[in-house]
Amino acid sequence: MKIVMLLLLLLSPIANAVDAYQFNNPEQQAAYQSLVSELRCLVCQNQPIGDSNAELAADLRRQVYEMLQQGKSKADIQQFMTERYGDFVLYNPPFKAKTGLLWLGPVVFLVVGLIAVFLFTRRKKTVPPSDSVGEDTEKLAAVRRLLTDKDTENLS
Amino acid sequence: MRIPMPDLYIAGGLFALSQLTYFLIMLKFIIPLVLFVVLAIFLALGLNLNPHDIPSPFINKPAPAFSAPKLTAPTEKLSTNDLKGKVWLFNVWASWCVSCRAEHPVLNELAKQQAVMIIGLNYKDEPDAAKQWLDTLGNPYNVSIMDADGRIGIDWGVYGVPETFVVDKKGVIRLKYTGPVTPEAIQQTLLPLINQLQAEQP
């Protein structure tokens, strides 16, 4: 008996996570599935509300379902959520001043990286020869001096 | 006209050239150092940010309307209209909420000062457990309303209890505080704002 109770206790959260919602048509169900997978659960922030067992996630799923039943569109529901929880609730936030860094950051890093790679590879090719040329002219001058000295010695 | 000491120019030029080469060689070491420092600053900031401190979209927006039964007298209702012209604190709490227990003495202390009306939102709680909690720990709230199914909570964008809002006389939300209110937050943030709002015309 104790084991059965324990098993029931273990199973209960899983049973709660599955909401038994009845949908009017397949489109509505599809809209529900896509919404609960792209709205963020604010309690467990790396899960969409569709995957989360948190109470708030269940409440938000209920809210999504009820609004769909009332004939609200996906955009309406997304707007309802952002009005209350901010853009943070969307896994796919819109592009605006506040989210600019989020969207453009990776591009900026990529461009900076490419420029750095370009500069470094170019410098490696050009810098060493210029150094060796300076050295060579010095050596050449020294050799020339030696040669002319020898020449004058021979002449005298 | 005599050309003034061309040797000096050459020496100066050579000196400048050597400084430039020196600088370019040092740059090889300076650039990675600068990059490292910038990265370290970003990581340090990221580590110290609280991911649960989400900016509320409600600041300077009208408070969402509610009309809900009072905890101590379920037949009576309190609505946002009843609070027009008053500065009020809206504190979301529940008897199952552990951080609320830590926050409670701070709210009791604030209530003693009578600086502001404190309205409680008893969020997804059992009324009996909630009443017992107030009996044993003290009741800082002028009124607590019940939100059994969490709908008022959703309207106010509540995602973690406790949360505290400051609403001005026009019914506009002026501040949201996420997490248990500390005595420092009361002294440094809440009370100065409350005093400022109390002085405003309704």
Side-chain angles (χ1 to χ4, degrees):
Chain A
M1 191 60 203
K2 264 185 189 165
I3 292 165
V4 174
M5 290 294 276
L6 203 70
L7 274 176
L8 277 175
L9 266 176
L10 282 172
L11 285 170
S12 60
I14 305 165
N16 283 341
V18 180
D19 309 306
Y21 289 140
Q22 295 289 316
F23 295 94
N24 297 342
N25 50 53
E27 290 81 44
Q28 200 186 50
Q29 184 160 14
Y32 175 84
Q33 290 303 343
S34 90
L35 275 169
V36 298
S37 65
E38 64 192 50
L39 288 172
R40 184 199 295 269
C41 168
L42 292 105
V43 181
C44 29
Q45 298 183 346
N46 290 327
Q47 275 186 315
I49 58 170
D51 289 350
S52 176
N53 262 327
E55 275 207 40
L56 179 70
D59 288 355
L60 291 178
R61 283 197 298 270
R62 181 193 61 200
Q63 187 74 35
V64 168
Y65 174 73
E66 284 174 358
M67 288 182 81
L68 284 170
Q69 287 286 325
Q70 289 159 16
K72 296 267 165 57
S73 73
K74 265 181 78 174
D76 289 337
I77 296 170
Q78 279 166 346
Q79 199 200 338
F80 176 93
M81 294 296 175
T82 33
E83 273 170 8
R84 284 156 181 76
Y85 296 102
D87 289 329
F88 189 75
V89 77
L90 301 175
Y91 267 120
N92 193 5
F95 182 79
K96 49 183 174 183
K98 256 190 181 172
T99 56
L101 191 63
L102 185 70
W103 283 105
L104 294 181
V107 182
V108 169
F109 277 117
L110 182 70
V111 168
V112 168
L114 285 176
I115 290 172
V117 167
F118 177 73
L119 285 179
F120 271 100
T121 48
R122 220 179 53 146
R123 195 134 51 108
K124 269 198 182 138
K125 271 179 203 157
T126 52
V127 169
S130 75
D131 272 348
S132 59
V133 163
E135 217 176 354
D136 282 356
T137 44
E138 266 171 37
K139 275 184 186 162
L140 268 173
V143 169
R144 284 226 176 84
R145 228 178 295 127
L146 273 174
L147 280 172
T148 46
D149 285 355
K150 286 276 177 196
D151 282 351
T152 43
E153 257 173 44
N154 285 347
L155 276 175
S156 61
Chain B
M1 212 179 100
R2 259 187 78 197
I3 303 163
M5 293 190 286
D7 285 0
L8 207 67
Y9 285 119
I10 295 167
L14 277 174
F15 178 72
L17 207 68
S18 73
Q19 285 293 301
L20 188 70
T21 351
Y22 176 73
F23 177 71
L24 283 175
I25 292 167
M26 283 311 284
L27 214 59
K28 254 190 196 169
F29 299 98
I30 291 169
I31 287 176
L33 181 71
V34 169
L35 283 178
F36 170 76
V37 169
V38 169
L39 192 68
I41 290 172
F42 269 94
L43 290 177
L45 285 177
L47 273 177
N48 286 311
L49 278 180
N50 178 4
H52 286 274
D53 204 359
I54 303 163
S56 172
F58 282 110
I59 304 303
N60 295 325
K61 298 257 170 69
F66 60 72
S67 178
K70 295 177 183 176
L71 176 67
T72 45
T75 47
E76 293 170 37
K77 282 192 168 187
L78 179 83
S79 83
T80 32
N81 278 333
D82 303 332
L83 299 162
K84 277 268 158 71
K86 288 179 185 133
V87 181
W88 48 290
L89 220 67
F90 195 45
N91 178 254
V92 186
W93 67 282
S95 66
W96 48 260
C97 155
V98 180
S99 321
C100 299
R101 194 170 278 269
E103 182 189 56
H104 208 78
V106 182
L107 288 178
N108 280 336
E109 199 55 42
L110 180 67
K112 259 189 222 159
Q113 298 183 32
Q114 300 198 318
V116 67
M117 207 174 171
I118 307 179
I119 307 296
L121 181 72
N122 187 223
Y123 179 71
K124 299 190 70 136
D125 207 352
E126 297 287 336
D128 289 334
K131 275 183 259 183
Q132 204 192 336
W133 153 286
L134 292 182
D135 286 343
T136 46
L137 295 174
N139 185 359
Y141 305 104
N142 295 68
V143 183
S144 269
I145 54 170
M146 287 189 284
D147 185 23
D149 52 8
R151 278 171 208 275
I152 299 173
I154 290 180
D155 270 345
W156 283 70
V158 171
Y159 57 86
V161 193
E163 287 182 20
T164 306
F165 298 82
V166 179
V167 185
D168 71 9
K169 292 180 180 174
K170 293 188 183 77
V172 173
I173 296 178
R174 301 294 285 265
L175 180 86
K176 178 183 178 181
Y177 192 95
T178 310
V181 174
T182 57
E184 293 77 36
I186 297 261
Q187 289 307 325
Q188 284 158 22
T189 319
L190 288 172
L191 273 179
L193 178 68
I194 287 164
N195 290 334
Q196 179 205 324
L197 296 181
Q198 294 285 17
E200 281 179 6
Q201 289 301 311

